[in-house]
Amino acid sequence: MKSRGRARWAIGGLLAGGVLVNFVDRTALSVASSSLATEFSLDFSRLGLVLSAFTWSYCLVQLPAGILVDTFGVSRLMRFASLLWAAACLLTAVAGGLGLVIAARLLLGVAEGPAMVGASKATAAWFPLSERGMATAMFDGATKLANMVAFPVLAFVMSEWGWRAGFLFSAALSLAFTAVWWWGYRDPSAHPRLGLREREYILAGGARDAEHDGGALRRALRSRTVWALALGFACYGYTINVVLTWMPQFFQTEFEVRLLDSGLYSMVPWGVATAAELVVGGWLVDRLVRRGRDPRRVRKTVLLTGLALGATAGAAATAGSPLVAVGWLSLALSGLAIAAPVAWSLPGLLAPPGAVGSVSGLMNFANTAATAGGVVLTGWLAELTGSFHTPLLCTVGVLGVGVALYCVVLRPRPARQGAALVRAVGA
C-alpha cells in the first residue's frame, strides 16, 4: 500500500518543539526563585507574587488569543508571538531591579498566550480523530519534557554563571525556534509538502482545516458544556502549575538541598510524567479506540483516573525524604499527564465550527486564572505555616471538584439531548 505521507507528524513535532521552548522560558524563574529571593530580599509571600506575574498576563490574553487564532490563523500569529518570547527572556536577563523583572514576566505572559491555544487549533486541523490522542499528547507532553530538561539544565547554568545566564540561554533557544517556525509551519491547505493522499486522509478522518471565525467566542460562551470543560480544566491547571512553580523551592525548603540538587530531584517526576502521557494518554487511547472500544468510555476513564492519581501530590507533603517525595510527585504528575491530552482534545471535538481556538482559549483562561491564584495562595500558606504541607493538601480538594465537573460533562445523555456531544467525544 502506498504511504499516506508523514507531513502531519513533522508538524506535530514542530508544535511540540514550540511548547517545549515555551515551558523552558516559563520554568526559568522557578529555578531562579531562591537566587531572586536572596538578591531582592523576598519572603515566600512576595516571592509568590513575583512568580505569579507571568500567569496573570498569560491568563488575561487567553480569550483574545483564542479569537485571534480563529481570526488570523496559527501561522501568522505565532510568528510574531515567538519573537516576543525571546525579547521577554532577554529583558529579564538584563533587569536591574525587581520592577523590571516583573514587567518582563508580564510581557512573556502576553507573548506566550497563543501557544497552547494555537497548538490545539493546529492539531485539530492537521490530524484525523483516530490520531488525535497521540498528536495532542505530543504537544502537551512537551510541557512535561520541558520541565524534565529545564530544571537540571537551568539549575546547572545558574549555578555556574548566575541566574541571569539562565534567561540568556532561554532567549537564545526562543530565537532558534522562531527561525524554524517561520520556515516550517503552514496550514494544511497551504503546506507545500503535504501530498494529496495525506491531505484527503486528514480531512476524511475529521480534521478541521484552518477554520476561521471571528464570532466564534459568542457561541462558545453560551454553551454550558464548554463552561464545565473550562472549570474542570482549571482544577487540573491549578494543581500541576502549583507543583511546577514551587517544586524546586519545595525541595530546598523541606529537605534543605542545594539549588542544583533541587533541579535534579525536580527532573525525575517530569520525566516519568512525559513517558506516561505519551504511552497512556496518547498511544493507548488511540489504540483502544481503533480496536473498537467505546471511545467515550475510554476517554472518560483515562481522564478521571488521571485526575484521581493527581491527588496523590498531597502525599508528598508528608514525605520523610526527598526520594519519597519524588516518588509521590512522579505518581501524581503521571496521573495529571495522562489526563491532559484527553482534556486538550475536547475543544477539537466539541467546539462549534470555527471556535476551536476560542474554546481552547476559554479553557486556558480558566486554567491560568486558577493557576495564578494557586501560586499566590501557595506562597501565602507556606509563609503562614512554615512548610508546603497545607498547600499540597489543598490540591486534593481542588482535583475532587475537577473530577465532579468532568463526570457531569461526560455522563451518558438522552439521545436527542446529547447526541452531538456523544458523537463528538466518541469520534
Side-chain angles (χ1 to χ4, degrees), residues 34 50 410:
S34 291
V50 176
L410 299 176

Side-chain angles (χ1 to χ4, degrees), residues 7-398:
R8 65 193 184 281
W9 293 109
I11 292 294
L14 182 59
L15 295 171
V19 172
L20 187 146
V21 173
N22 251 222
F23 274 72
V24 170
D25 294 346
R26 301 181 197 187
T27 302
L29 197 65
S30 296
V31 178
S33 59
S34 291
S35 301
L36 205 72
T38 300
E39 181 165 334
F40 297 107
S41 301
L42 304 176
D43 57 23
F44 281 148
S45 297
R46 294 173 64 201
L47 181 59
L49 291 172
V50 176
L51 290 173
S52 69
F54 164 86
T55 312
W56 289 113
S57 59
Y58 182 77
C59 172
L60 292 174
V61 301
Q62 286 307 298
L63 293 178
I67 295 171
L68 290 172
V69 165
D70 283 332
T71 304
F72 297 109
V74 178
S75 181
R76 284 184 290 175
L77 188 60
M78 287 297 294
R79 289 180 179 184
F80 175 70
S82 58
L83 283 172
L84 284 182
W85 304 347
C89 293
L90 184 61
L91 184 61
T92 310
V94 301
L98 188 61
L100 196 54
V101 171
I102 293 173
R105 296 300 288 181
L106 291 170
L107 176 62
L108 184 66
V110 172
E112 293 193 351
M116 293 295 284
V117 174
S120 179
K121 173 106 175 170
T123 299
W126 270 96
F127 288 89
L129 294 171
S130 62
E131 297 175 349
R132 197 74 58 78
M134 178 56 77
T136 307
M138 283 176 64
F139 80 74
D140 188 77
T143 67
K144 286 76 177 177
L145 179 62
N147 298 326
M148 182 186 74
V149 173
F151 279 120
V153 171
L154 290 173
F156 172 76
V157 171
M158 293 180 188
S159 295
E160 292 293 318
W161 297 288
W163 66 267
R164 297 177 189 276
F167 290 95
L168 290 174
F169 173 84
S170 59
L173 198 62
S174 296
L175 283 174
F177 171 75
T178 299
V180 175
W181 179 269
W182 275 66
W183 171 78
Y185 186 85
R186 301 290 187 278
D187 287 331
S189 57
H191 200 287
R193 290 177 293 280
L194 179 62
L196 179 62
R197 185 179 177 86
E198 186 174 9
R199 187 190 306 276
E200 291 175 347
Y201 169 70
I202 291 170
L203 293 176
R208 306 169 71 165
D209 185 7
E211 295 175 341
H212 304 298
D213 185 348
L217 180 61
R218 290 192 298 273
R219 292 194 299 278
L221 292 176
R222 290 195 294 265
S223 169
R224 292 181 181 179
T225 297
V226 168
W227 278 106
L229 290 177
L231 294 175
F233 197 61
C235 296
Y236 156 86
Y238 175 97
T239 302
I240 199 164
N241 285 295
V242 162
V243 174
L244 165 65
T245 303
W246 286 101
M247 191 187 294
Q249 191 70 48
F250 165 73
F251 281 112
Q252 292 172 61
T253 300
E254 298 294 327
F255 305 109
E256 299 181 351
V257 301
R258 298 177 304 148
L259 170 61
L260 182 57
D261 291 335
S262 73
L264 294 173
Y265 283 128
S266 299
M267 173 185 71
V268 176
W270 294 112
V272 176
T274 302
E277 177 159 358
L278 292 174
V279 174
V280 180
W283 175 82
L284 182 61
V285 168
D286 283 348
R287 180 174 176 82
L288 290 173
V289 171
R290 285 196 295 266
R291 289 172 68 89
R293 300 293 181 90
D294 180 355
R296 185 190 61 80
R297 186 182 299 273
V298 168
R299 291 190 170 98
K300 180 178 179 179
T301 300
V302 171
L303 180 59
L304 298 184
T305 300
L307 293 179
L309 287 174
T312 60
T318 60
S321 71
L323 291 179
V324 174
V326 165
W328 282 117
L329 290 171
S330 296
L331 180 61
L333 290 177
S334 294
L336 295 171
I338 68 174
V342 177
W344 267 116
S345 70
L346 294 179
L349 300 170
L350 302 178
V356 175
S358 296
V359 173
S360 299
L362 181 62
M363 278 177 50
N364 224 19
F365 170 79
N367 171 7
T368 49
T371 296
V375 170
V376 173
L377 178 64
T378 297
W380 180 77
L381 289 174
E383 181 70 24
L384 183 67
T385 63
S387 76
F388 284 89
H389 293 190
T390 301
L392 286 176
L393 290 175
C394 284
T395 64
V396 179
V398 171

